[in-house]
Amino acid sequence: MSQQNCLIADDSRMSRMMLKKIISTLHPDWQIIEAENGEEAINKAEGQDLHVILLDFNMPVMDGGKAAEKIRPLFPEAKIAFLTANVQESIQLLAKKLQIDFIPKPITEEKIKQYVG
Amino acid sequence: MSAKKPILDEFFIDAVAEVINVGMGSAAASLSEMVNEEVKLSVPGVEFVTRSDAEDIIGNRTKSNLSGVKQHFDGAFSGDAILLFPEKQSLELIRAVVGDDVTLDDLTEMEQDAMKEIGNVILNACLCGMADMFGQQLRGEIPGYVKGTVKQIFTSENKNMPEQDIVLLLKMDFAIEQKNIQGYVTFLMDMASIDALKNQIQIFMGVE
């Protein structure tokens, strides 16, 4: 099996830390790439073979919605989700429109395990 | 505090309390997931007071400095949502969320970031619950960490807001395990926004 790569974009260091800890425990061999905003996520995604992408929605510089618009076509096979506290229906509808999944915060081991497998 | 005269009619306050209760129910569920245990949350007080009265009320209840999160929101109505905790309790709350395997040094270092994220989840649960209830959208800005006296927190970045503008003040009690962590959520809104909120409630209740 080829190297699995996961991109986490969240402006909260605590969230990135929690996600990294959960995913690394589940899959110690995965490479985890971190970004602090949507723009950084796009830059870091370039040239990578990404399998799982978790995007916070409300982030400085570029939000998760704009990042997802650019990232989704680049990785048609990847599992991509908004992982956000912004649980408004409008954001959930946007996720559907962008053909990505929606995971409501808070981050829990169970939710992440269910999503990344 | 009972000497303060009511500035908005009882029906509206009752309706707001109900709307807020829905939002706070989501907030309690979110916090419970974060700390992985039951969180008892109640909203024993919903008051509309002026900003200066709110400063007195919180200042009298909480003698120490406060820390918390402020998030500006706009859309169907706008304002600043602020989550505040007595400073000493904020580390306990963060510890309950991140677990015991983080050292005190790391915990102190990440205090601001962790508090922002806790506030992000709690305030968004409340705001999103309200937005969905009204079938409207609220756009929340990135939350910011705040610290200091209640007066310092209320006036920072709100210097142009008259002291007599209205604050929706909620007293929110969290009870997590043996820790009695008490927090406050306030919504700082000007009169135009209060009217917009009132209008949304009237539409929602069909009493236009």
Side-chain angles (χ1 to χ4, degrees), chain A residues 14 21 58 88 105 111, chain B residues 30 33 101 113 117 138 140:
Chain A
M14 183 181 89
K21 189 176 157 192
N58 289 46
Q88 289 181 76
K105 276 188 180 178
K111 282 182 204 171
Chain B
S30 298
E33 280 187 80
D101 55 346
D113 183 82
E117 188 59 9
L138 289 175

Side-chain angles (χ1 to χ4, degrees), chain B:
Chain B
M1 291 309 113
S2 55
K4 308 288 181 198
K5 65 171 184 185
I7 14 187
L8 291 154
D9 61 72
E10 257 181 53
F11 171 80
F12 180 48
I13 291 175
D14 181 69
V16 170
E18 195 50 37
V19 170
I20 297 288
N21 266 326
V22 171
M24 282 299 153
S26 308
S30 298
L31 188 62
S32 172
E33 280 187 80
M34 288 172 106
V35 298
N36 200 25
E37 61 184 89
E38 190 185 358
V39 171
K40 288 186 177 138
L41 185 145
S42 61
V43 188
V46 176
E47 299 168 83
F48 281 92
V49 294
T50 62
R51 199 186 74 195
S52 56
D53 285 347
E55 289 169 9
D56 290 344
I57 293 168
I58 298 181
N60 287 335
R61 285 176 189 160
T62 317
K63 302 293 177 199
S64 66
N65 273 3
L66 300 156
S67 67
V69 178
K70 186 192 266 191
Q71 184 174 28
H72 184 74
F73 62 92
D74 60 41
F77 46 95
S78 62
D80 287 325
I82 308 174
L83 175 71
L84 295 171
F85 296 96
E87 208 177 351
K88 282 179 189 160
Q89 292 186 350
S90 69
L91 274 184
E92 276 189 63
L93 178 63
I94 294 164
R95 169 74 76 190
V97 172
V98 299
D100 291 330
D101 55 346
V102 176
T103 65
L104 186 63
D105 281 351
D106 283 345
L107 197 69
T108 309
E109 195 198 317
M110 68 174 352
E111 181 183 358
Q112 292 192 18
D113 183 82
M115 184 50 81
K116 276 198 287 186
E117 188 59 9
I118 292 166
N120 182 36
V121 172
I122 291 176
L123 293 177
N124 267 293
C126 188
L127 290 170
C128 294
M130 288 163 74
D132 286 346
M133 195 172 188
F134 295 139
Q136 298 283 342
Q137 285 185 42
L138 289 175
R139 291 170 296 275
E141 289 182 2
I142 307 295
Y145 179 76
V146 290
K147 191 174 179 173
T149 64
V150 63
K151 192 176 177 65
Q152 287 166 340
I153 291 168
F154 276 14
T155 48
S156 68
E157 296 164 32
N158 288 304
K159 290 185 177 65
N160 296 326
M161 190 176 175
E163 284 204 352
Q164 294 312 304
D165 262 2
I166 291 179
V167 172
L168 166 54
L169 179 67
L170 303 172
K171 180 170 177 278
M172 186 171 73
D173 291 329
F174 292 107
I176 304 169
E177 206 185 15
Q178 300 302 316
K179 307 173 185 85
N180 257 330
I181 297 175
Q182 189 176 58
Y184 299 92
V185 171
T186 67
F187 290 88
L188 231 54
M189 291 188 278
D190 59 18
M191 274 315 292
S193 286
I194 293 276
D195 284 343
L197 173 61
K198 200 168 181 173
N199 188 40
Q200 287 299 324
I201 288 175
Q202 284 171 330
I203 293 168
F204 178 70
M205 300 185 83
V207 291
E208 264 183 295

